[in-house]
Amino acid sequence: MNAVDEIFEMFKRHGGEAYFGEPVSQTEHALETAHQAEQENAPPTLMVAALLHDVGHLLHGMGEDIADRGVDARHEAAGEDWLSHRFPPAVTEPVKLHVAAKRYLCRTDPDYFDQLSPASVRSLELQGGAFTEHEARAFEAHRYYGEALRLRRWDDAAKIPGLEVPDLEHYRSALEAVARTSRALT
Ligand SMILES: [Fe+2]
């Protein structure tokens, strides 16, 4: 099975599950995140990152209430690991950094914390809380820092129940094209 078929299969199998304490499913959340990327004319790699940023949740099969049970599944690391065999760093790095981006924004944007959903506030604690000043500066040095912040903003806004957005099929050609660039690198 190629990478794109695997992704479609995973969404089919687990995408209907709730997105941790939010009023949307995993698939709805992914599609709403990717749609914002497309609307902002993000490059295909970042749009694919937006679509797949929570693929770690679809992989780990830990149920939908892990934050409530006090478990941080480190989904960003699981997702990055899985994606790294299939996609280039322009996809995997923003995915890896999307939790760090939340911790960064909690440190640097005074209004950011207030707009987080209750579930996101709960998981923040498990993820280590807001960055220190030193951690924030280190984060800014990362090559994909800007992309990670864009992805994070889309992620936080992608929790609207019933929003009409393009379906998964809409992203098939972009997924295939970006996965191909990864194969060309190896
Ligand atoms: Fe997310």
Side-chain angles (χ1 to χ4, degrees):
M1 202 188 282
N2 70 30
V4 178
D5 290 337
E6 282 180 275
I7 288 162
F8 273 69
E9 184 62 32
M10 224 179 327
F11 273 106
K12 201 162 89 189
R13 204 170 316 149
H14 299 295
E17 290 165 15
Y19 180 63
F20 311 105
E22 308 288 358
V24 289
S25 70
Q26 295 280 354
T27 301
E28 287 169 324
H29 176 65
L31 294 176
E32 288 186 21
T33 310
H35 182 57
Q36 293 174 82
E38 186 167 40
Q39 292 219 301
E40 287 190 20
N41 292 318
T45 45
L46 189 53
M47 186 175 74
V48 165
L51 183 70
L52 301 178
H53 75 278
D54 278 335
V55 86
H57 285 320
L58 302 179
L59 292 170
H60 68 54
M62 285 189 70
E64 50 187 67
D65 62 339
I66 45 167
D68 289 335
R69 289 191 275 129
V71 178
D72 176 17
R74 300 261 306 133
H75 75 282
E76 73 282 13
E80 189 240 344
D81 183 53
W82 190 87
L83 291 169
S84 68
H85 301 288
R86 297 157 176 89
F87 292 96
V91 174
T92 59
E93 290 294 299
V95 170
K96 180 175 83 181
L97 295 173
H98 84 276
V99 169
K102 172 170 144 185
R103 300 178 63 196
Y104 173 82
L105 287 166
C106 283
R107 173 78 200 181
T108 56
D109 179 346
D111 299 323
Y112 180 75
F113 180 83
D114 291 337
Q115 54 86 51
L116 287 178
S117 66
S120 201
V121 169
R122 254 191 328 275
S123 60
L124 172 69
E125 227 170 280
L126 296 168
Q127 290 157 346
F131 270 164
T132 63
E133 197 55 44
H134 180 72
E135 288 169 327
R137 294 295 87 80
F139 182 71
E140 286 166 359
H142 201 284
R143 180 175 167 192
Y144 289 97
Y145 146 79
E147 285 84 351
L149 291 184
R150 291 183 80 190
L151 172 51
R152 184 73 227 180
R153 300 281 192 185
W154 301 326
D155 182 7
D156 292 325
K159 299 174 178 179
I160 302 170
L163 191 71
E164 291 252 352
V165 289
D167 65 4
L168 198 53
E169 201 56 48
H170 175 76
Y171 299 97
R172 186 185 285 275
S173 58
L175 283 164
E176 281 168 353
V178 174
R180 254 197 313 276
T181 64
S182 184
R183 278 200 299 282
L185 291 173
T186 53

